[in-house]
Amino acid sequence: MSNGADGGTYCNAGAAEPLVSVIVPVYNVARTLDRCVNSILHQTYQHLEIILIDDGSTDGSSRLCDALDARDSRIKVIHQRNQGLSAARNVGVDHAHGVFVCFVDSDDWLMPEYVGSMVDAAVRYQADMVICGYSNVSMSGNTSQSLPYGGVCNGREYLNHADIINSVYTVAWNRLYRIDLCRTVRFPDNLLYEDRYTFFRFFHEANIVVGLGKSLYCYDNNPDGITHAINDVRKLDLAQVYLTEIRFYLDHGYDSILRGYANTLTELFLKLIGTVYRQRKEESREAYPQRVNWLLAELDDLLPRIRPYISSCIAAYCALLCRHVKVYMAFAGLRYRWRGHMDPLFRLLHRAKAWVAKHIVRPLRNMSH
């Protein structure tokens, strides 16, 4: 039996409807905020607390939040200086009174049965987290759907079932959380890709997770969104997030994830190495040296532990590179002049193969001894 923040329970079939706190971070979204909030107000499930966190907006969103507050007594507005999405969500959780919490991005919207379907599943299965599918809506109006694994199980088991490359599992906004879970797992301050940083922690901490085979959340695939405009400095955030995720799986014994994740893990690990070493050239920039040195130390520490999962994949990548002439020609800069360069190309190919064996495969093999 779990207790909500307001002292009520959500497990008794005859109990009153549990209060759900819907947290909406707001930053310069005057164009879409009304659509988002209206979709929440028109839910079939009406026992809601709607918390709008105005994160220092400068485009009129602040005034729109106040106007919405005056429209419906369930809406509460919190104005704060700009601190980022993670801080806004954490502030929303701190001010929430609901038994359950859900996050809605202010440029997205909900299907009318979103909250009701999620609460029904949470009550029926005594769940700590319920996850649904979402519709990815492009600027042209095209829609594609992503649906989660439709099972009911322990959070750790669910994480092992999940295809964690699929974004339906790695976002924060297509699910309903028991509020205690959100007070245990906090979003990281001053770090992009905060959903990727926390999703595995939510699953790990949840006793029961339910997956609904319904698409109930509508995601506005906005090309002007924050993840579409990441500068070079913030690319290090992604490196930090992936290294943290990999370390978490290693430390908590998620061997099946690491093995099933091996091909993607290898690709990500090689990208991390490339990203960190490229950024190393920029160490004169403010805030680079400390972060780059931390990332390099993490890479050095994790490489021996991750080697059993990625060494065979690295060998496969090398073999693919050596066999796939077109791919290698792109690396060699010969894709437009290939006809007259076959002999030099193959000589270069063999030299590349020897370099990979010397600098990647052999050191990895030595680490295992």
Side-chain angles (χ1 to χ4, degrees), residues 146-306:
S146 295
L147 298 176
Y149 166 70
V152 180
C153 55
N154 176 272
R156 300 185 188 193
E157 295 172 358
Y158 197 99
L159 189 55
N160 279 309
H161 283 299
D163 172 13
I164 59 175
I165 305 306
N166 188 333
S167 61
V168 74
Y169 300 107
T170 60
V171 295
W173 33 253
N174 63 336
R175 56 204 67 183
L176 184 79
Y177 307 85
R178 180 170 51 82
I179 194 165
D180 292 348
L181 191 60
C182 291
R183 288 175 174 157
T184 300
V185 180
R186 306 285 282 182
F187 292 96
D189 291 335
N190 301 317
L191 195 67
L192 294 182
Y193 310 99
E194 61 288 319
D195 291 358
R196 184 92 208 184
Y197 185 89
T198 52
F199 86 92
F200 50 89
R201 303 173 194 273
F202 279 120
F203 281 108
H204 182 78
E205 295 292 336
N207 289 321
I208 298 177
V209 175
V210 179
L212 298 182
K214 302 177 183 179
S215 179
L216 300 173
Y217 189 100
C218 298
Y219 170 72
D220 187 350
N221 193 350
N222 176 14
D224 297 324
I226 188 169
T227 55
H228 293 278
I230 305 302
N231 59 36
D232 286 343
V233 178
R234 301 313 297 268
K235 287 178 182 177
L236 294 181
D237 286 2
L238 183 59
Q240 180 175 339
V241 166
Y242 276 127
L243 286 172
T244 302
E245 182 182 353
I246 291 168
R247 181 178 288 281
F248 186 91
Y249 296 144
L250 289 166
D251 290 346
H252 292 87
Y254 284 100
D255 186 75
S256 61
I257 288 181
L258 291 164
R259 294 194 181 283
Y261 196 28
N263 280 298
T264 302
L265 194 62
T266 302
E267 183 179 350
L268 292 173
F269 201 78
L270 294 175
K271 284 181 179 179
L272 290 178
I273 293 172
T275 298
V276 173
Y277 275 90
R278 280 195 303 274
Q279 301 303 334
R280 198 178 191 186
K281 299 176 182 178
E282 306 288 345
E283 283 192 358
S284 59
R285 292 188 186 180
E286 185 179 357
Y288 266 43
Q290 183 176 355
R291 294 196 68 198
V292 170
N293 289 337
W294 181 87
L295 289 166
L296 290 173
E298 281 291 287
L299 283 168
D300 289 341
D301 184 56
L302 285 178
L303 190 56
R305 298 179 65 189
I306 208 70

Side-chain angles (χ1 to χ4, degrees), residues 285-360:
R285 292 188 186 180
E286 185 179 357
Y288 266 43
Q290 183 176 355
R291 294 196 68 198
V292 170
N293 289 337
W294 181 87
L295 289 166
L296 290 173
E298 281 291 287
L299 283 168
D300 289 341
D301 184 56
L302 285 178
L303 190 56
R305 298 179 65 189
I306 208 70
R307 190 209 63 79
Y309 303 100
I310 69 173
S311 58
S312 61
C313 295
I314 288 181
Y317 274 102
C318 295
L320 178 65
L321 181 65
C322 293
R323 290 175 189 150
H324 202 311
V325 175
K326 287 185 180 179
V327 172
Y328 186 74
M329 282 163 50
F331 279 98
L334 300 174
R335 52 186 164 182
Y336 300 113
R337 298 184 291 123
W338 67 274
R339 291 182 180 175
H341 295 82
M342 292 307 294
D343 287 342
L345 174 62
F346 282 109
R347 286 197 296 270
L348 196 56
L349 187 65
H350 286 295
R351 288 174 60 189
K353 184 176 180 180
W355 185 92
V356 168
K358 178 180 179 181
H359 293 283
I360 297 180

Side-chain angles (χ1 to χ4, degrees), residues 17-31:
E17 290 183 332
L19 178 67
V20 176
S21 297
V22 184
I23 297 171
V24 185
V26 175
Y27 179 71
N28 290 353
V29 285
R31 180 180 63 85

Side-chain angles (χ1 to χ4, degrees), residues 28 30 57-65:
N28 290 353
S57 297
T58 59
D59 71 336
S61 295
S62 298
R63 292 190 300 275
L64 183 54
C65 284

Side-chain angles (χ1 to χ4, degrees), residues 84-105:
L85 179 58
S86 288
R89 286 177 176 166
N90 290 335
V91 167
V93 170
D94 291 340
H95 286 80
H97 298 90
V99 176
F100 296 109
V101 170
C102 62
F103 302 103
V104 181
D105 283 0

